[in-house]
Amino acid sequence: MSDDLRIIAVPALADNYVWLLADASGRAIVVDPGEAAPVRAALARERLDLAAVLLTHHHPDHIGGTEALIQGGQTPVYAPNDDRIAFAAHRVAHGDRVELDNPPLQFDVLGIPGHTRTHIAYHGHGIVFCGDTLFSVGCGRIFEGTPEQMLASLDRLAALPGDTLVCCGHEYTVTNCAFAATVDADNPSLTRRTAQARALRERGAPTVPVSLADERACNPFLRVDTDAIVTALPDAPDRVGRFAELRRRKDEFRAPAA
Ligand SMILES: [Zn+2]
């Protein structure tokens, strides 16, 4: 990430993160504002002016604060092509590029369907805003797609440079680590990440952003081709089968009480 950019995770709702990305001049973009109040508070506290809103998918916990933030439409909104996002927006899809003048930011739009059919990510400046598709040590539920689609979307994200900072939509890391240990317990990177995530949460700090390289090392949903996951899921026929089985088990997983 460039030195003159600042990234801030704003906790919202139960366990969402709204992301702020600001330049040195104090102009900021906001990604997935599920509610407005904590975003307004963060903008005021950090002395930032809102320049644009980027949305990854239509779920209310990612868009619910948008109308209250955009001052009657003065602030541009970028969103996937989905009529479940009702307000006026610049509609973007895979292969498009978001070009902002002030702050001067550029993002490539990646189509990453599976959690929802029109889910997108924004990649630029060494950062990816990936909504509810890739979480740290986990991935989103498949509500509107197939395991094949979701795995292809995760493959697309995992192909970004290793130093890319993953900015996801929820704080699920500690629970995700507990699930990951059920299939990848001997992975030292997972052990390290688990300890780190617990320590961060104990002091109320976010566990994200995290580097994509770390995710490739720890996240079972990005590790379906590794010997560890192949061995853990001997009945699955192929990588899509392993991914689908991991996702099925995670849907049923309840973390042990802390
Ligand atoms: Zn969602």
Side-chain angles (χ1 to χ4, degrees):
M1 191 174 79
S2 334
D3 288 344
D4 59 343
L5 294 179
R6 265 201 306 158
I7 191 150
I8 300 164
V10 180
L13 302 167
D15 47 31
N16 280 77
Y17 287 126
V18 180
W19 292 96
L20 295 180
L21 181 64
D23 73 355
S25 76
R27 302 272 294 170
I29 63 161
V30 60
V31 183
D32 282 0
E35 61 177 338
V39 177
R40 282 210 189 93
L43 291 168
R45 187 178 64 239
E46 306 288 338
R47 298 167 194 258
L48 299 173
D49 291 321
L50 180 59
V53 177
L54 274 54
L55 304 176
T56 64
H57 68 294
H58 74 279
H59 284 159
D61 63 320
H62 292 254
I63 70 172
T66 306
E67 281 184 295
L69 288 170
I70 60 174
Q71 311 164 60
Q74 294 303 299
T75 307
V77 179
Y78 294 82
N81 211 339
D82 191 317
D83 56 16
R84 293 171 294 187
I85 298 173
F87 35 83
H90 301 277
R91 302 292 176 169
V92 290
H94 183 73
D96 288 341
R97 202 165 155 80
V98 173
E99 305 253 10
L100 304 174
D101 293 332
N102 185 17
L105 297 173
Q106 301 83 37
F107 298 96
D108 293 315
V109 178
L110 307 176
I112 49 169
H115 178 69
T116 70
R117 64 183 165 73
T118 61
H119 198 306
I120 56 175
Y122 299 90
H123 173 240
H125 307 275
I127 301 165
V128 66
F129 298 107
C130 54
D132 288 354
T133 298
L134 175 63
F135 295 127
S136 184
V137 199
C139 73
R141 284 179 186 258
I142 304 171
F143 287 125
E144 298 180 6
T146 63
E148 289 90 333
Q149 272 181 324
M150 190 68 168
L151 182 56
S153 294
L154 292 170
D155 287 342
R156 181 167 272 166
L157 293 171
L160 296 172
D163 60 357
T164 305
L165 293 177
V166 175
C167 294
C168 57
H170 290 271
E171 178 60 68
Y172 291 154
T173 311
V174 169
T175 304
N176 286 346
C177 286
F179 172 73
T182 67
V183 288
D184 202 10
D186 296 332
N187 178 350
S189 298
L190 176 61
T191 306
R192 269 196 304 277
R193 177 64 172 151
T194 303
Q196 179 202 45
R198 282 192 188 135
L200 286 165
R201 294 311 292 153
E202 272 167 22
R203 60 173 203 261
T207 63
V208 284
V210 60
S211 79
L212 190 57
D214 282 347
E215 285 306 303
R216 289 195 205 114
C218 299
N219 189 324
F221 296 95
L222 302 187
R223 290 169 49 77
V224 294
D225 301 318
T226 62
D227 290 345
I229 300 298
V230 171
T231 305
L233 304 173
D235 296 333
D238 54 21
R239 67 193 303 270
V240 174
R242 289 190 290 276
F243 176 74
E245 175 62 14
L246 281 177
R247 190 56 261 179
R248 189 191 67 74
R249 290 188 188 188
K250 178 63 170 63
D251 286 348
E252 293 175 354
F253 181 73
R254 294 292 170 271

